[in-house]
Amino acid sequence: MPPIFFITGTGTGVGKTVLTALLASHLRQRGISVAVLKPVASGSRADARMLYTALAGALTLDEINPWHFRAPLAPLLAARRERKSVTKAAVLGHIRRMQQRFAVVLVEGAGGLLSPLGEDFNSRDLIAALRAAPVIVGPNRIGVLNQMLLTLGALPRAAAARARVVLMSPPRPDAATKTNGALLAEFFDQERIFELPWLGRRWRTDWALADARVQRTLQKLTKVRPG
Ligand SMILES: Nc1ncnc2c1ncn2[C@@H]1O[C@H](COP(=O)(O)OP(=O)(O)OP(=O)(O)O)[C@@H](O)[C@H]1O
Ligand SMILES: [Mg+2]
């Protein structure tokens, strides 16, 4: 079965969409057919639009983001405001249909691992049901170690064994930014720890991908081990 990478994070606003868009563009550059989904979104639809741009029209906005609710709240609450609900079965069905059509599927969650997406599920439930490889994004500053370990600890064992973590550099590094990666490696497989630089306020995927280190990071991150 084509691999599914599920991009989650230590919270909201940590760089999940930035990473997902970079991964999509990187895979496309390598000639790999890729689907990118933000199945459930609340508030603005900016994430889905950014992913739509990264896919250059391979999927429609509604295929990328079938469930959208207007209130800038957790999707579960935003849906209730509109007297609607999303079920895990419907979301899984949509992702699995994409898995039939593409060589790789990227799914961006909403919020963090346990943020409720619908009445009966969160990102962790989707990762487990899909046997997806979780990619946990966190801001590379003081405190991220605890957030990363909490998130990894909340994953089922099999999912944690497939997990990757990404430390996303903030615009201004703090005292911990340089050392977080090495410290995390004392607790988690070093091979699956990745760091991405701050790309600037007006970053663009094509500029970011022109950086050979960024390319190498994305390539290693999407390597799937047999078995
Ligand atoms: N490495 C980076 N370089 C430049 N800008 C970044 C980087 N990482 C994150 N940002 C910026 O930080 C903000 C939050 O990032 P992003 O939207 O990717 O977070 P998110 O985790 O997807 O948030 P949400 O929970 O809303 O989906 C955006 O304005 C984004 O452009
Ligand atoms: Mg996002």
Side-chain angles (χ1 to χ4, degrees):
M1 282 297 266
I4 301 176
F5 292 95
F6 196 106
I7 293 83
T8 182
T10 56
T12 187
V14 294
K16 295 187 297 292
T17 305
V18 171
L19 176 68
T20 309
L22 288 177
L23 285 172
S25 303
H26 167 77
L27 290 166
R28 285 174 59 82
Q29 268 191 7
R30 284 166 55 196
I32 297 168
S33 83
V34 55
V36 185
L37 310 174
K38 168 99 186 182
V40 186
S42 49
S44 109
R45 227 175 172 190
D47 281 14
R49 285 202 195 88
M50 179 174 285
L51 300 178
Y52 176 81
T53 304
L55 273 194
L59 289 173
T60 66
L61 193 63
D62 286 335
E63 285 175 315
I64 292 168
N65 172 223
W67 293 277
H68 171 246
F69 308 104
R70 277 182 300 279
L73 299 167
L76 170 65
L77 282 183
R80 283 182 185 162
R81 292 248 167 131
E82 298 178 28
R83 299 182 188 285
K84 291 180 186 150
S85 66
V86 188
T87 65
K88 182 169 76 169
V91 175
L92 287 175
H94 182 69
I95 298 171
R96 287 186 174 125
R97 279 191 293 281
M98 291 297 165
Q99 203 179 13
Q100 307 292 328
R101 288 172 50 191
F102 293 86
V104 178
V105 179
L106 308 176
V107 183
E108 182 186 343
L113 187 69
L114 303 185
S115 304
L117 297 178
E119 291 296 334
D120 61 347
F121 70 105
N122 55 31
S123 290
R124 176 170 65 186
D125 299 316
L126 296 181
I127 288 167
L130 296 163
R131 297 177 197 280
V135 181
I136 309 165
V137 184
N140 193 356
R141 55 177 190 237
I142 189 83
V144 77
L145 194 84
N146 170 60
Q147 296 170 336
M148 281 293 185
L149 295 177
L150 281 170
T151 304
L152 285 165
L155 283 169
R157 193 178 300 233
R162 292 187 293 269
R164 287 98 160 122
V165 307
V166 177
L167 298 172
M168 194 63 95
S169 287
R172 274 173 304 281
D174 68 14
T177 303
K178 263 209 186 102
T179 52
N180 273 331
L183 184 56
L184 189 56
E186 294 185 27
F187 303 89
F188 184 72
D189 180 8
Q190 182 164 21
E191 298 273 294
R192 292 183 286 135
I193 301 172
F194 301 92
E195 296 189 29
L196 281 173
W198 175 253
L199 300 168
R201 290 235 167 270
R202 296 153 59 105
W203 72 279
R204 283 179 31 180
T205 47
D206 50 348
W207 296 345
L209 294 183
D211 182 331
R213 281 166 312 172
V214 171
Q215 283 279 10
R216 251 196 323 276
T217 301
L218 299 172
Q219 182 156 8
K220 273 207 254 167
L221 202 155
T222 47
K223 209 175 267 170
V224 181
R225 290 194 198 84

